[in-house]
Amino acid sequence: MTASESSRGMLQIAAVAADAKGGEDLIALDVSEPLPLVDVFLLVTGRSERNVAAIADEVEDKLVEAGHKRLRREGRQEARWVLLDFGDLVVHVFHEQERVYYGLERLWKDCPVVPIELPAAASAE
């Protein structure tokens, strides 16, 4: 099983939104094989709690604007690790220290990476 076209579309919206707010080290993992209820994890790093919150808010806003429903949000108040669950796509926005500490890339290392296409103008800013 691989990530659906719908989840890949959601991923693109989320990745562009995260990049626009200064999100770094964006990695998307196809977790559809081990997790039948989720297709893609998007991992993003923010440099401060304020940045983590801004990234999470922008991702959520853009996905909702595109007609996707948020099922759950956790960690927004502390803004150290914000989890946004949109069903097929789960976005993890980490503070740098939490990203290293929890190491989700290591936990899901057997899952294929999903390519992310960021507009040249957005990533150059």
Side-chain angles (χ1 to χ4, degrees), residues 9-114:
M10 292 170 68
L11 169 63
Q12 278 306 126
I13 293 166
V16 169
D19 184 63
K21 289 296 179 182
E24 299 178 353
D25 302 325
L26 278 69
I27 296 177
L29 301 172
D30 182 338
V31 294
S32 60
E33 188 69 35
L35 296 175
L37 299 177
V38 178
D39 280 355
V40 177
F41 278 176
L42 174 61
L43 311 178
V44 183
T45 300
R47 294 208 166 269
S48 67
E49 287 89 350
R50 176 180 263 175
N51 187 220
V52 167
I55 294 165
D57 290 347
E58 184 74 1
V59 168
E60 183 174 352
D61 290 348
K62 294 300 182 190
L63 284 169
V64 168
E65 282 175 21
H68 302 288
K69 184 176 190 243
R70 186 196 77 207
L71 304 177
R72 188 175 66 182
R73 175 180 60 201
E74 295 183 16
R76 173 62 177 81
Q77 189 167 359
E78 298 83 14
R80 301 287 298 179
W81 176 1
V82 179
L83 180 141
L84 301 170
D85 182 352
F86 280 86
D88 289 340
L89 173 69
V90 175
V91 181
H92 300 268
V93 185
F94 292 97
H95 188 282
E96 306 175 271
Q97 295 162 340
E98 272 66 12
R99 176 112 180 227
V100 171
Y101 181 78
Y102 289 104
L104 290 190
E105 292 94 334
R106 289 189 312 273
L107 289 174
W108 300 99
K109 68 180 184 246
D110 294 335
C111 295
V113 172
V114 180

